[in-house]
Amino acid sequence: MATAELEDILERHRRDPLRLLQILIELQARDGWLPPATLSAVATALGLPRARVESTASFYSFLHTHPAGDYRILFSDNITDRMLGNMALMQALCGKLWLEPGKVSEDGLVSVATTSCTGMCDQGPALLANGRTITRLAPERIDEMAHLIRRRVPVGDWPPEWFHVEDNIRRRDVLLDHGLAPGQALAVALDRGATSILGEIERSALRGRGGAGFGSDIKWRSCRDAWGDAHYVICNADEGEPGTFKDRVLLASYFDLVVDGMCIAGMAIGANKGFIYLRGEYRYLLDRLETRLAQRREQGLLGRNILGCGFTFDIEIHLGAGAYICGEESALIESLEGKPGKPRIRPPFPVTNGYRGQPTTVNNVETLALAALIAVRGGEWFRAIGTPASTGTKLLSVSGDVERPGIYEFPFGVTMAEVLDAAGACDTQAVTSAGAAGHCLAADEFGRRIAFEDVATGGSIMVFDASRDMFEVARNFAHFFAHESCGFCTPCRVGTAVNARLMDKLAADHGSPYDLDEMAKMHRLMQGASHCGLGNTATIAIDDIVAKFRPAFERRLHSPEYEPAFDLDAALSQARRMTGRDDPGAHLGDNLEALAEERAHARDAAKPAPSSAAESAPSKDLQP
Amino acid sequence: MNDSFLLDGEDIPFTPGQTVMQAAAAAGKYIPHLCWHPDFAAHGSCKLCTVKIGGRFATSCTVRAAAGQEVENRTDELDAKRRTLLQLLFVEGNHFCPSCEKSGDCALQATAYEMGMLTPHFDHFYPDRPVDASHPDVLLEFNRCILCELCVRASREVDGKNVFALAGRGTRSHLVVNSDSGRLADTDFTASDRAAAVCPVGVILKKRLGFTVPIGARTYDLNPISAMGANAGQQADSRANAAHEKEVG
Amino acid sequence: MAHEYLNDTTSPSAAATPRKLKVATVSLAGCFGCHMSFLDIDERLLPLLELVEFDRSPLTDIKHCGPCDIGLIEGGVCNAENVHVLREFRANCKVLIALGACAVNGGLPAQRNHLALADILQMVYRTGHGLAEGSSIPDDPELPLPLNQVHPVHEVVKIDYFLPGCPPSGDAIWAFLTQLIEGKAPSLGHGLLHYD
Amino acid sequence: MNFELETASLPSENLRRVAIDPVSRVEGHGKVTILLDEDNKVHQVRLHIVEFRGFERFIQGRPYWEVPVMVQRLCGICPVSHHLAASKALDLIVGASKVTPTADKMRRLMHYGQILQSHALHFFHLSSPDLLFGFGSSLGFTLALVLFAGIRERLDGADVPLAFKGTAIAMITAGFMSLAFMGFAGLDRFQ
């Protein structure tokens, strides 16, 4: 990377150490990886210790500190992608490019690997090609892709229809049919003023749509009342929960409402600056969103002196780089500050000590959009929808074994059965109500209602029909959490790894009831001892699945007694290869039982009489 | 009368702003811990200091003490949870105590003794981690790193050098040093840095001090870590004292 | 817990004198240091011999372990033969005790685990310093093949008790065994519990 | 030249294989295989050293001062020998070609201590069981132990030089006793 180009990037980012992650993302996009020399140059330019730059560069999945090929293909590997056959397609692509998954091809041309859910479960299987999303993969598309890669055709010149992303909106309600013009809500809010708007939000009893369900008015009020030399509004568009793609649709087709919501939040808490933390998997939206923000600035709907009311509020979009943990608000803020996404010690909470230590409100995309709607329609109107404890509507991203995967907007209180019916699910065996980090409902629970007081959800509804192996679902989740754990605290860092290994042990037919007890032990350990929500929720779905679909696990238990996790015979592979031996003694496979009999026989023969051990003279102890 | 809270039924006074751990340590009461150290900002990652306050789990090194709190500390349930956490740490790295010069001065080992850990229980990871002997006076043996970041904090907060940082994510997390080559020799680290005498395990070791103190005379041979009371947080290294006596004596 | 089983067989019922517990010991990939430490209980061997009798062990030179109450396993699982012997002990012993660091966590021999076995064999028998020209890796079928990694015994069979130390001191072994035989869950206080 | 490792390739007429496995009268792990024909005439006998651990490879890359402590674990009966061998190797590395008299004396003392311990061990643990077990073992073995325990009790009261108190004097007595018990060695022929 010529220093001139590096200087250009650093200049554009005003050599601001807080923008370290954004700088690294641009460098990664240009060079395909981040060589050590680049890390050193960036560290010097930003006046940061090189170790700090290395710790950020090595944390995020989409930043590579080792060569990853000119083409970096990442297959989305959520359980819904598996159900749509992504593994076969990946093997096919690897076959055509003569490489193994996870490795770079000999000539450094291409690497193929997996990544966590890319938010395309309604039009999967999907992959990221150098960070750009390609949906609806099929064998022909894979064949042509291999062809394009071998002929070194730039990703930008690949067939445009590959990159097309549908909204798949299936059921609209008050939010998706809001009918407001861009800036309309903002104008109303500016007209009514902060106190009145806060009153509306309070009357609406709006709760966070990211999944935690924290009262938005409480968050905004405590943020406004916190002292600080600057206040910030952050739109959490990380949307990393597997099976969730509602924010994708809001950003793609309702962006103005979201921006209005951010400006309203800014006005309410007295902030002049907002950030949108856009997940790296949605990079394809970046230019479109930046253009729209620029237009709004021209139209006086953003930036200085909005609508002539003297209110200044501007928005910066920061990209994530592949880290599910950055959905946690304090980890998101760490990432916004150019650091690895490791959750902070809480308290203090972001509302008092957030971005740059200043009072910050972090709200989900959907929450901000609803706030704008409430500013116009009023709190009472909103409160009349849904249930008393869960007011308003909820966007549900429904995927998996359904006729019509997509976005369904329902008032809170809708039963799971109604949602499944609307989506055209049949013969449903199970549903995960909050992606990998929530509960798993069996058929007898579909009467339960989607609401914070019953089935709480961030919007990810993944449906599994009777043909699905629920063990594989649990195993996919276990690997997801082991891959996404930030590694900060012992129970989650090592606990998720142990869980993933236990799942692999069962999958390799080495399982026994002992291993199911170990999983339950990990569940108990991580509940309450983990540093953040990831560790505390990493085993909930798994624990549910083991409890409600035990046969799917029992089928996997190879023996009632404890078995080793590793394959005994395979453990002799290197020795066999080096010695060239293949005689029975060189194996530990199915001859184990036979050898045990033989030894038992030898033992009985060796002892003439069942006398006490001392009598038999050792020197005459010759086996026949 | 300033405020106080109950720790296993005992009254512990505290001054406002103190965490439960700080107040307990000041009162000479031992709460198991690995990543906490009285001289540095709390970290809250090892989770050994998990207690129960009013029936809810809490990380005692980060949670503020409050009047009237009822804190459960050395209960069977919590010590069992701590044993499991220790087992996870033991299988994640390579901890070969028999040939380790920090044995007997190692907080991980002493805490495991205190919790009565007899087996690592889980399947070992046996990771492949490097040894960096490049620095003339200090050895870095990453096999024993428990990612407590005491060295990171010491080097940043006291030495002002930022020699250490954690890189990677999840179980790929690992310690890195602040040099282009990645070697300790190419940093401004010296054996007299505060960060050189803070490692609770056997990663950052001053050279030429190995096995100077005979078995039986090392810090935790003499008394268990729980008996170290307030200075339980001090990273014990009888080898340093031995070397000091040698120079002074 | 397994030790309850031990308790009721030795509680002297009025009529029969207490049956002696059958103890078997073996060293898998161990160095016999733990067996030596076992002998370090010195004269306390006598009271122990009133409670137990030895089945297979280096002492009695019995080649195979018959049905026993307690199996003391020293050493990790390093080769195929260790697997057979360990499984034989599991099949025959009511209670298995992992004795010493090798059995408990792989011990020193497990320091090879981060290396590829193929490279180790290559260096030791073919490319190492001072080897005769053309020397090769032994391939006699009588030799058990080494596993790719050394495993602690609990990673191959279910183990009931663990007695760490390299070696555990004679006093630690004595305290551990006597508590176990009295039917108590063994615990080692400060000074007895060591990993080095 | 590439010499073939000699192995027990069974010749045409089948020989019966008898294995003494494990060989337990020595530290370490071994196996003896004997090939006999029908009328029990021995054709081939081999001692197989079955244990491979790879110490020589995995001590590479370790801090040099750890190696003596690591290689002790090669053998639980003669750890001192391996420790001293490693120390001597390190003498060359650290340039201590001339070892100080104290160090030399300490090394000899350690080695003598082990020799005494090994002799007692070899007699009481490794060879005497063969002799005594063939002779009503619990009686013989107990006899040896009671004598040994008795002598040690008497030693507690005896005026033993400070340097020899405790284990050292016990080992020396064990050494003398093992010499005394050598007298039983010839009894085996009366089996």
Side-chain angles (χ1 to χ4, degrees):
Chain A
M1 144 69 60
T3 46
E5 271 183 45
L6 176 60
E7 284 310 315
D8 157 50
I9 292 177
L10 290 167
E11 231 28 71
R12 247 184 315 99
H13 289 282
R14 305 185 297 279
R15 291 180 181 278
D16 177 357
L18 293 178
R19 302 183 63 80
L20 170 62
L21 179 58
Q22 304 310 301
I23 294 167
L24 293 178
I25 290 171
E26 270 196 52
L27 292 170
Q28 163 72 45
R30 274 178 202 254
D31 304 342
W33 69 296
L34 300 169
T38 303
L39 297 185
S40 303
V42 168
T44 326
L46 299 183
L48 287 172
R50 187 192 186 284
R52 253 287 319 282
V53 174
E54 183 176 355
S55 72
T56 297
S58 59
F59 183 84
Y60 296 92
S61 300
F62 296 164
L63 300 180
H64 303 285
T65 48
H66 301 287
D70 300 338
Y71 293 86
R72 296 167 301 285
I73 308 296
L74 292 171
F75 277 81
S76 177
D77 198 23
N78 182 27
I79 187 66
T80 50
D81 297 290
R82 290 273 172 124
M83 290 150 71
L84 295 166
N86 69 334
M87 282 298 118
L89 295 172
M90 185 168 82
Q91 296 303 346
L93 183 61
C94 288
K96 291 192 167 40
L97 296 169
W98 308 305
L99 56 80
E100 285 170 56
K103 296 253 184 353
V104 186
S105 58
E106 298 301 328
D107 53 11
L109 172 65
V110 58
S111 66
V112 175
T114 58
T115 187
S116 300
C117 176
T118 56
M120 299 294 160
C121 318
D122 52 337
Q123 50 205 298
L127 64 78
L128 298 173
N130 291 357
R132 299 193 47 195
T133 308
I134 296 177
T135 57
R136 288 184 180 71
L137 296 174
E140 317 74 39
R141 196 169 277 194
I142 291 291
D143 294 346
E144 199 184 336
M145 187 181 299
H147 202 58
L148 290 169
I149 289 174
R150 267 212 300 284
R151 286 188 14 254
R152 289 184 174 278
V153 174
V155 174
D157 301 343
W158 290 7
E161 67 277 13
W162 286 10
F163 303 96
H164 179 61
V165 175
E166 292 283 340
D167 276 351
N168 283 332
I169 295 177
R170 308 286 186 183
R171 186 183 190 282
R172 296 168 185 274
D173 203 299
V174 290
L175 177 59
L176 297 179
D177 266 348
H178 63 79
L180 297 176
Q184 180 181 344
L186 179 52
V188 167
L190 285 173
D191 182 37
R192 298 181 55 170
T195 322
S196 151
I197 289 299
L198 272 172
E200 289 303 332
I201 298 295
E202 186 182 355
R203 267 190 295 285
S204 73
L206 173 65
R207 296 175 67 169
R209 289 318 195 241
F214 193 78
S216 303
D217 65 299
I218 306 163
K219 189 178 266 193
W220 284 9
R221 249 187 241 290
S222 42
C223 180
R224 182 197 60 183
D225 301 342
W227 182 87
D229 55 31
H231 285 62
Y232 296 98
V233 174
I234 294 177
C235 168
N236 183 345
D238 185 64
E239 189 161 66
E241 191 59 57
T244 319
F245 43 90
K246 63 172 177 76
D247 294 348
R248 180 199 79 203
V249 170
L250 287 178
L251 292 169
S253 306
Y254 294 80
F255 187 51
D256 275 291
L257 196 64
V258 176
V259 174
D260 283 355
M262 284 184 76
C263 297
I264 291 167
M267 181 201 66
I269 69 168
N272 302 106
K273 189 67 190 287
F275 291 93
I276 297 175
Y277 186 87
L278 182 67
R279 69 182 310 210
E281 290 84 346
Y282 289 170
R283 184 196 180 84
Y284 76 94
L285 287 172
L286 183 62
D287 301 339
R288 187 185 327 180
L289 300 184
E290 290 286 11
T291 318
R292 184 55 197 143
L293 289 183
Q295 285 167 358
R296 282 186 64 119
R297 288 188 191 97
E298 283 148 24
Q299 297 160 0
L301 293 172
L302 191 64
R304 307 200 55 73
N305 192 11
I306 295 176
L307 292 172
C309 306
F311 173 53
T312 300
F313 184 83
D314 212 334
I315 292 177
E316 232 181 86
I317 300 181
H318 269 232
L319 272 174
Y324 166 74
I325 183 63
C326 290
E328 197 278 341
E329 56 180 19
S330 66
L332 184 149
I333 291 172
E334 286 285 290
S335 188
L336 264 184
E337 294 179 2
K339 291 181 271 182
K342 293 185 177 176
R344 294 177 172 174
I345 292 173
R346 302 168 314 284
F349 291 97
V351 283
T352 51
N353 303 76
Y355 179 66
R356 292 179 56 248
Q358 303 306 317
T360 306
T361 177
V362 181
N363 289 103
N364 177 267
V365 173
E366 185 182 349
T367 314
L368 291 165
L370 288 172
L373 196 57
I374 291 166
V376 176
R377 301 273 196 277
E380 287 310 325
W381 162 78
F382 190 82
R383 199 188 192 89
I385 306 167
T387 74
S390 311
T391 57
T393 64
K394 181 74 187 83
L395 295 188
L396 302 174
S397 7
V398 183
S399 61
D401 292 325
V402 286
E403 289 294 316
R404 298 172 292 281
I407 298 295
Y408 291 78
E409 182 182 7
F410 278 102
F412 267 121
V414 64
T415 65
M416 186 61 80
E418 285 167 75
V419 175
L420 293 174
D421 188 42
C426 60
D427 198 12
T428 304
Q429 168 185 200
V431 168
T432 54
S433 59
H439 284 284
C440 178
L441 308 183
D444 55 0
E445 297 173 284
F446 292 166
R448 292 176 59 184
R449 296 189 175 284
I450 290 182
F452 290 111
E453 63 273 21
D454 189 355
V455 179
T457 180
S460 162
I461 307 289
M462 293 191 278
V463 183
F464 306 96
D465 68 19
S467 72
R468 299 302 176 185
D469 179 352
M470 291 311 289
F471 164 75
E472 285 303 339
V473 177
R475 184 169 169 225
N476 180 271
F477 291 168
H479 277 285
F480 169 75
F481 284 113
H483 175 69
E484 294 295 349
S485 165
C486 81
F488 176 78
C489 75
T490 316
C492 175
R493 180 185 66 243
V494 196
T496 53
V498 165
N499 253 340
R501 284 161 179 253
L502 285 169
M503 290 291 184
D504 291 346
K505 181 174 177 180
L506 260 66
D509 281 341
H510 293 293
S512 68
Y514 173 89
D515 302 303
L516 296 186
D517 299 342
E518 286 292 287
M519 284 184 210
K521 183 174 183 174
M522 280 300 104
H523 178 56
R524 280 194 309 277
L525 173 80
M526 290 167 71
Q527 298 280 300
S530 299
H531 180 60
C532 80
L534 192 151
N536 291 326
T537 59
T539 54
I540 293 178
I542 295 169
D543 200 59
D544 273 3
I545 294 174
V546 173
K548 296 171 185 172
F549 302 94
R550 200 160 177 97
F553 283 79
E554 236 109 45
R555 270 203 310 276
R556 296 282 175 168
L557 300 187
H558 186 255
S559 91
E561 288 305 322
Y562 172 86
E563 288 229 338
F566 63 100
D567 181 279
L568 288 168
D569 193 57
L572 294 175
S573 55
Q574 288 186 45
R576 275 197 296 270
R577 177 161 51 83
M578 297 305 285
T579 58
R581 278 179 53 188
D582 203 19
D583 55 282
H587 285 276
L588 273 173
D590 36 29
N591 60 358
L592 270 177
E593 273 59 36
L595 280 170
E597 261 71 42
E598 194 187 305
R599 297 177 75 87
H601 168 66
R603 180 181 63 245
D604 302 337
K607 257 204 229 109
S611 60
S612 83
E615 254 57 62
S616 65
S619 50
K620 289 208 294 307
D621 180 22
L622 298 180
Q623 285 169 300
Chain B
M1 197 281 280
N2 60 20
D3 297 332
S4 69
F5 60 88
L6 288 178
L7 181 68
D8 284 343
E10 234 184 296
D11 221 26
I12 306 289
F14 68 91
T15 53
Q18 266 189 329
T19 61
V20 169
M21 173 68 82
Q22 284 169 326
K29 291 288 166 277
Y30 171 69
I31 299 179
H33 57 273
L34 282 172
C35 71
W36 179 78
H37 188 287
D39 301 352
F40 305 112
H43 195 236
S45 65
C46 77
K47 296 301 176 184
L48 261 294
C49 73
T50 302
V51 292
K52 261 190 163 180
I53 301 178
R56 281 170 53 86
F57 291 112
T59 308
S60 62
C61 70
T62 55
V63 80
R64 290 276 172 269
Q69 281 171 331
E70 286 185 31
V71 182
E72 295 166 61
N73 175 26
R74 295 302 307 274
T75 63
D76 290 346
E77 176 197 19
L78 286 168
D79 275 4
K81 210 181 204 14
R82 290 169 178 139
R83 247 191 322 278
T84 308
L85 290 171
L86 287 162
Q87 289 167 340
L88 290 175
L89 288 173
F90 268 93
V91 295
E92 183 188 27
N94 283 320
H95 298 281
F96 297 107
C97 299
S99 63
C100 174
E101 62 191 273
K102 196 64 183 287
S103 188
D105 292 300
C106 169
L108 175 69
Q109 185 188 63
T111 310
Y113 290 162
E114 183 65 29
M115 294 304 124
M117 180 188 112
L118 296 174
T119 166
H121 179 73
F122 298 102
D123 289 356
H124 286 71
F125 290 18
Y126 294 128
D128 185 4
R129 292 184 181 174
V131 175
D132 176 358
S134 64
H135 195 279
D137 308 318
V138 175
L139 166 76
L140 285 184
E141 219 294 27
F142 294 102
N143 281 292
R144 302 147 185 172
C145 184
I146 57 171
L147 305 168
C148 69
E149 294 197 50
L150 268 172
C151 56
V152 176
R153 285 176 274 164
S155 188
R156 182 179 64 231
E157 292 164 19
V158 176
D159 305 331
K161 295 184 178 177
N162 283 300
V163 168
F164 298 106
L166 276 194
R169 189 173 82 201
T171 44
R172 295 184 311 281
S173 298
H174 59 281
L175 199 62
V176 289
V177 294
N178 190 28
S179 66
D180 293 350
S181 65
R183 294 166 5 125
L184 189 61
D186 302 332
T187 68
D188 51 5
F189 186 75
T190 68
S192 55
D193 279 5
R194 185 69 180 84
V198 79
C199 180
V201 288
V203 177
I204 306 172
L205 297 164
K206 292 192 177 106
K207 289 186 177 179
R208 295 173 288 284
L209 278 183
F211 305 106
T212 44
V213 180
I215 289 183
R218 303 165 304 183
T219 311
Y220 299 119
D221 294 334
L222 302 174
N223 37 50
I225 193 166
S226 55
M228 306 282 282
N231 55 20
Q234 307 304 346
Q235 252 47 50
D237 195 343
S238 55
R239 307 165 320 135
N241 314 346
H244 178 61
E245 276 139 26
K246 206 163 54 182
E247 285 143 21
V248 169
Chain C
M1 288 278 280
H3 62 272
E4 271 90 15
Y5 154 77
L6 293 172
N7 188 12
D8 51 50
T9 55
T10 57
S11 55
S13 55
T17 57
R19 177 179 71 78
K20 279 194 175 184
L21 286 180
K22 289 198 89 146
V23 175
T25 79
V26 72
S27 174
L28 303 176
C31 70
F32 283 95
C34 291
H35 275 79
M36 293 309 108
S37 196
F38 181 71
L39 294 176
D40 273 352
I41 59 178
D42 297 336
E43 59 280 3
R44 286 173 292 185
L45 268 173
L46 297 181
L48 189 66
L49 281 175
E50 277 145 29
L51 297 171
V52 301
E53 59 182 337
F54 285 99
D55 188 273
R56 167 185 174 149
S57 88
L59 210 59
T60 59
D61 192 24
I62 294 170
K63 301 305 180 188
H64 290 289
C65 160
C68 290
D69 300 296
I70 295 178
L72 281 165
I73 313 283
E74 172 205 307
V77 183
C78 178
N79 63 35
E81 178 65 14
N82 297 154
V83 175
H84 294 311
V85 172
L86 183 57
R87 289 170 69 96
E88 182 182 291
F89 263 69
R90 182 66 273 177
N92 286 288
C93 302
K94 296 284 181 304
V95 170
L96 277 190
I97 301 174
L99 176 66
C102 292
V104 169
N105 60 41
L108 262 295
Q111 291 217 352
R112 76 170 168 93
N113 282 359
H114 70 283
L115 302 164
L117 175 66
D119 301 345
I120 298 174
L121 290 170
Q122 184 80 347
M123 176 260 167
V124 168
Y125 288 107
R126 304 218 349 228
T127 60
H129 176 65
L131 286 169
E133 217 354 78
S135 62
S136 65
I137 297 169
D139 55 3
D140 186 324
E142 290 286 350
L143 296 176
L145 290 178
L147 298 169
N148 292 342
Q149 287 191 320
V150 174
H151 294 270
V153 291
H154 73 273
E155 289 187 10
V156 178
V157 296
K158 186 177 172 312
I159 297 291
D160 305 296
Y161 296 97
F162 299 86
L163 176 42
C166 185
S169 66
D171 297 337
I173 296 175
W174 172 256
F176 198 90
L177 277 184
T178 43
Q179 286 173 50
L180 199 59
I181 290 171
E182 285 153 18
K184 291 206 286 282
S187 73
L188 299 169
H190 180 257
L192 288 182
L193 175 54
H194 276 280
Y195 300 151
D196 58 354
Chain D
M1 56 93 184
N2 187 338
F3 54 84
E4 264 309 305
L5 282 171
E6 192 227 311
T7 177
S9 52
L10 292 180
S12 53
E13 86 277 354
N14 61 21
L15 289 173
R16 193 158 48 82
R17 167 186 178 277
V18 165
I20 302 173
D21 175 21
V23 166
S24 55
R25 285 303 180 256
V26 69
E27 189 290 325
H29 303 267
K31 170 166 74 171
V32 169
T33 51
I34 308 157
L35 298 178
L36 312 104
D37 55 20
E38 294 80 32
D39 39 34
N40 280 351
K41 196 161 111 2
V42 171
H43 283 253
Q44 297 172 25
V45 179
R46 279 186 188 76
L47 167 64
H48 306 273
I49 301 304
V50 294
E51 189 173 24
F52 171 79
R53 289 174 295 179
F55 267 80
E56 53 268 63
R57 173 63 186 82
F58 66 71
I59 57 174
Q60 289 177 21
R62 299 303 313 162
Y64 71 82
W65 54 83
E66 265 186 23
V67 175
V69 181
M70 287 175 75
V71 295
Q72 282 174 14
R73 270 76 182 183
L74 274 164
C75 163
I77 294 177
C78 57
V80 173
S81 318
H82 292 282
H83 183 100
L84 292 182
S87 307
K88 286 178 184 152
L90 294 184
D91 290 347
L92 306 177
I93 292 174
V94 298
S97 48
K98 192 80 191 60
V99 179
T100 63
T102 332
D104 185 65
K105 288 192 175 64
M106 203 164 71
R107 289 180 179 186
R108 289 178 186 279
L109 187 61
M110 284 170 68
H111 225 150
Y112 292 145
Q114 179 184 274
I115 290 169
L116 269 174
Q117 194 255 357
S118 281
H119 275 71
L121 178 87
H122 186 273
F123 174 73
F124 285 101
H125 178 59
L126 298 182
S127 54
S128 71
D130 277 352
L131 309 170
L132 302 174
F133 278 145
F135 191 65
S137 67
S138 50
L139 172 68
F141 195 70
T142 318
L143 170 67
L145 270 177
V146 164
L147 283 174
F148 186 53
I151 292 172
R152 281 196 64 183
E153 246 134 47
R154 287 244 308 285
L155 282 174
D156 284 351
D159 172 19
V160 176
L162 187 63
F164 285 91
K165 265 215 178 316
T167 334
I169 191 67
M171 288 308 152
I172 291 170
T173 17
F176 292 135
M177 277 190 62
S178 62
L179 298 178
F181 272 85
M182 278 302 164
F184 290 106
L187 281 183
D188 199 29
R189 261 189 300 292
F190 291 103
Q191 289 313 300

